[in-house]
């Protein structure tokens, strides 16, 4: 049993490795290329990128050069948050798939319900329009599953009322102290896989004294306890690092957290 090779099964039967390698904020070129190569060498088989990260070309090249069969790797990318019309969504998909150059995707996500410069603004109609393109791409086999990111319950409900396919996954910011309980419970109820980005709160958890105490007792690092916490909650962690030793460390999480430790972690940040 290994967190790297174990899988979650999404509502459409597609399996997805339980830990993904996140590439947000890793610049295109040698940094993205080298870190994805390292992740694949260490054993990650799930890579998460986005058109907006600007690194799809390097990610695609790293996957190809790894020599690992394409069908052994789960690949996610995202349609930019700013795209809220059908033509824009089709163009974004073509750009991503030609940048990656790896054939059909495994998971394609709407990056956010609103553009990043207008967080919270109402794009319900636009999201429905984009989602209908996603349904087409899914029907055509150009992506094996489709989902959303940064969606809350209202955003998910508005899609559900006007479209056919329930998102297979929702990728949200999720870490100890930021467990998005309402959205997470809704997703569980609708069989939508929850993926957690920034499982280390982009590094902020690393000097948390409470997590450190638990980590020390278990002979683990704060990063490992924080990542393990998501797995214990059936949330798929997407840790990001450009440092080879940390890339390895973050996937070495085959241990359990006791009910007591979980309760202590649940209480943090509340
Ligand atoms: P770096 O990329 O320089 O290794 P998140 O996954 O929550 O977005 O957090 C990513 C941040 O945490 C990055 O700054 C990354 O630094 C750092 N980081 C990732 N893994 C570890 C680790 N195991 N130990 C310490 N810092 C880490």
């Amino acid at each position: 049993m290994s967190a790297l090779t174990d899988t979650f099964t999404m509502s459409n039967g597609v399996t997805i490795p339980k830990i993904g390698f996140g590439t947000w904020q890793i610049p295109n070129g040698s940094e993205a290329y080298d870190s994805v190569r390292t992740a694949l060498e260490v054993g990650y088989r799930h890579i998460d990128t986005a058109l907006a990260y600007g690194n799809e070309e390097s990610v695609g090249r790293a996957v190809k050069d790894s020599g690992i069969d394409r069908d052994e790797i789960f690949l996610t990318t995202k349609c930019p948050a700013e795209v809220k019309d059908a033509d824009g969504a089709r163009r974004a998909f073509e750009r991503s798939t030609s940048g990656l150059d790896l054939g059909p995707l495994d998971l394609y996500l709407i990056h956010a319900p609103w553009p990043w410069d207008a967080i919270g603004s109402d794009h319900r109609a636009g999201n429905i329009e984009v989602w209908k393109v996603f349904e087409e791409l899914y029907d055509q086999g150009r992506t094996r599953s489709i989902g959303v990111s940064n969606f809350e319950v209202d955003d998910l409900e508005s899609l559900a009322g006007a479209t056919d396919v329930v998102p297979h996954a929702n990728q949200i910011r999720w870490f100890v102290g930021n467990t998005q309980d309402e959205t997470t419970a809704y997703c569980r109820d609708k069989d939508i896989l929850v993926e957690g980005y920034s499982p280390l709160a982009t590094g902020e958890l690393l000097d948390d004294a409470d997590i450190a105490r638990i980590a020390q007792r278990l002979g683990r690092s704060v990063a490992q306890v924080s990542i393990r916490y998501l797995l214990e909650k059936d949330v798929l962690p997407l840790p990001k690092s450009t440092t080879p030793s940390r890339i390895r460390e973050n996937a070495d999480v085959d241990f359990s957290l006791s009910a007591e430790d979980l309760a202590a972690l649940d209480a943090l940040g509340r």
Side-chain angles (χ1 to χ4, degrees), residues 123-204:
H123 295 274
R124 276 176 285 192
N127 285 321
I128 290 164
E129 194 172 320
V130 169
W131 191 252
K132 288 185 171 165
V133 172
F134 274 46
E135 291 178 330
E136 263 169 47
L137 295 166
Y138 178 58
D139 284 343
Q140 293 162 355
R142 301 199 65 197
T143 180
R144 296 169 65 227
S145 44
I146 49 178
V148 295
S149 182
N150 296 296
F151 272 47
E152 295 187 347
V153 172
D154 286 352
D155 305 310
L156 290 162
E157 288 268 270
S158 106
L159 268 195
T163 59
D164 295 327
V165 179
V166 176
H168 302 120
N170 184 18
Q171 183 178 127
I172 54 181
R173 193 159 171 271
W174 211 104
F175 46 83
V176 174
N178 186 66
T179 52
Q180 302 228 31
D181 295 345
E182 200 193 338
T183 303
T184 303
Y186 180 91
C187 288
R188 290 262 176 284
D189 186 51
K190 305 289 180 194
D191 204 4
I192 300 170
L193 174 71
V194 177
E195 300 186 300
Y197 71 81
S198 300
L200 311 176
T202 56
E204 279 173 37

Side-chain angles (χ1 to χ4, degrees), residues 24-26 175 197-204 206 221 223-224 227 238-243 245-247 249-250:
W24 180 38
Q25 294 177 329
I26 307 186
F175 46 83
Y197 71 81
S198 300
L200 311 176
T202 56
E204 279 173 37
L206 295 163
S221 69
Q224 288 171 323
I227 290 164
L238 296 164
K240 170 260 161 187
S241 174
T242 52
T243 313
S245 59
R246 293 171 175 173
I247 293 174
E249 175 188 329
N250 293 346

